[in-house]
């Protein structure tokens, strides 16, 4: 029962991360109309792995952060026999997603990291009892 708090927080954080990543991609690509606010994000992108096209770089960032959010959801949904490993995967997906998306990932990353920490803390309570 106690480990469900961390699990639910991680799942909510992963879903929020997917919404943020895909929403940001939609704004930048013009799928979601915002009267040109996404243009500032496109031209402020630094090259990645020798790719200098801003649209491609943003697509790589948003795809990577979406994959990390999905990994966090899967790790929270399928807690293995070793809860510690699942909690570390959840925390890592929150932190690395923040590296890819920056300040937009703060709510999702916070929920993922908090969920992983609660899972690890609850694991210690269960094993010590």
């Amino acid at each position: 029962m106690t480990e469900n708090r961390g699990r639910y927080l991680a799942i909510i954080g992963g879903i929020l991360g997917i919404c943020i990543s895909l929403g940001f991609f939609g704004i930048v690509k013009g799928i979601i109309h915002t009267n040109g606010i996404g243009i500032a994000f496109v031209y402020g992108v630094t090259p990645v792995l020798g790719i200098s096209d801003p649209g491609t770089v943003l697509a790589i960032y948003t795809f990577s952060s979406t994959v990390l959010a999905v990994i966090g959801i899967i790790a929270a949904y399928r807690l293995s026999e070793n809860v510690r490993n699942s909690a570390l995967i959840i925390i890592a997906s929150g932190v690395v997603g923040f590296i890819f998306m920056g300040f937009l990932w703060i709510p999702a990353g916070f929920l993922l990291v908090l969920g992983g920490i609660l899972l690890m803390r609850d694991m210690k309570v269960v094993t010590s009892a």
Side-chain angles (χ1 to χ4, degrees):
M1 165 95 179
T2 56
E3 72 183 29
N4 286 337
R5 294 180 300 177
R7 177 183 286 182
Y8 294 146
L9 280 177
I11 290 172
I12 291 169
I15 291 170
L16 183 63
I18 291 171
C19 293
I20 289 170
S21 300
L22 295 180
F24 180 67
F25 183 74
I27 288 172
V28 169
K29 286 298 187 179
I31 299 168
I32 302 171
H33 299 287
T34 58
N35 295 329
I37 196 169
I39 301 300
F41 291 115
V42 172
Y43 292 109
V45 174
T46 58
V48 173
L49 301 173
I51 302 170
S52 59
D53 178 37
T56 306
V57 172
L58 284 172
I60 291 170
Y61 281 158
T62 55
F63 177 75
S64 301
S65 60
T66 303
V67 168
L68 287 168
V70 169
I71 288 171
I73 291 171
I74 291 171
Y77 179 72
R78 306 252 329 165
L79 286 176
S80 62
E81 295 292 325
N82 193 347
V83 178
R84 181 178 173 269
N85 289 343
S86 295
L88 289 175
I89 290 171
I90 293 168
I91 292 171
S93 68
V95 171
V96 175
F98 177 74
I99 292 170
F100 280 125
M101 289 298 290
F103 70 94
L104 293 173
W105 191 264
I106 288 175
F110 176 74
L111 289 173
L112 283 166
V113 170
L114 183 64
I117 290 171
L118 283 174
L119 282 170
M120 290 187 79
R121 187 182 65 92
D122 292 340
M123 179 191 68
K124 288 181 182 178
V125 170
V126 170
T127 56
S128 65

